Amino acid sequence: MTELTVFFDSQCPLCAAEMRRLSRWDRQGRLAYIDMQGEGFDATRYGASYAAMDAQLHAQTADGQMLVGIDAISAIYQAVGKGWLTWPLRWQWARPTLSWGYRRLARYRYQISRLLGFACPDGVCSARYR
C-alpha cells in the first residue's frame, strides 16, 4: 500500500539518483513517484505552485497531507525503513539549521550534481543555475 507520493525533478541527476536508491530500498511498495518534468504535470492539482514544488522536495501522504523539505525527507526515509538515517531531523533545536541547509542544497542541486560528477542531460545543469 502506498504511504507517500514523492514529487521529484527527473532532470536533476542528483535527485534522479536518490529516487532510484529509494526505489531499491522500498521493498514494501510504500512510495509512489511523480516526475514533475513529466508531460501534463500540474502542481495546482496538489494545492501547490510549480515554483514551490521545484524549490523543495514534496511528498503527499495517503490522506492528502503535503509534507515539504526535511519533513518530506524524514517521512520518506521512515517509509522505506531507513528512518534512522534522518534521526537529526527530529531534533527540534536543530531543525531550523537543517532546514536552511536543505533549502540551500535544493536550490543549488544542479550545480551540486555537476560538481559530484553526475551526468547532466545536455547542459541542463548549466542552464538551471539559479
Side-chain angles (χ1 to χ4, degrees):
M1 177 178 159
T2 300
E3 293 179 15
L4 290 170
T5 300
V6 181
F7 301 90
F8 75 102
D9 174 4
S10 65
Q11 287 189 357
C12 166
L14 182 62
C15 307
E18 181 65 7
M19 293 306 119
R20 286 190 300 274
R21 181 170 66 157
L22 288 169
S23 68
R24 284 192 308 272
W25 286 346
D26 186 20
R27 294 189 178 109
Q28 304 298 318
R30 294 185 173 145
L31 301 179
Y33 304 90
I34 295 181
D35 179 3
M36 297 186 322
Q37 300 297 335
E39 188 175 324
F41 176 75
D42 181 7
T44 61
R45 181 174 171 213
Y46 304 99
S49 69
Y50 180 83
M53 292 182 88
D54 188 49
Q56 294 190 72
L57 182 65
H58 282 59
Q60 189 174 45
T61 64
D63 66 0
Q65 179 185 5
M66 192 64 79
L67 304 173
V68 179
I70 63 173
D71 293 326
I73 294 167
S74 184
I76 291 165
Y77 275 69
Q78 196 71 32
V80 298
K82 302 285 185 181
W84 58 272
L85 289 171
T86 61
W87 58 270
L89 300 180
R90 293 188 289 273
W91 295 342
Q92 291 304 313
W93 59 269
R95 286 178 61 80
T97 302
L98 294 171
S99 185
W100 177 87
Y102 167 73
R103 287 191 309 270
R104 296 289 92 51
L105 178 126
R107 180 175 183 179
Y108 296 106
R109 66 189 184 269
Y110 283 88
Q111 294 79 8
I112 293 168
S113 292
R114 188 176 63 241
L115 289 173
L116 292 176
F118 285 96
C120 296
D122 297 332
V124 168
C125 291
S126 299
R128 288 292 302 247
Y129 191 82
R130 302 190 260 172

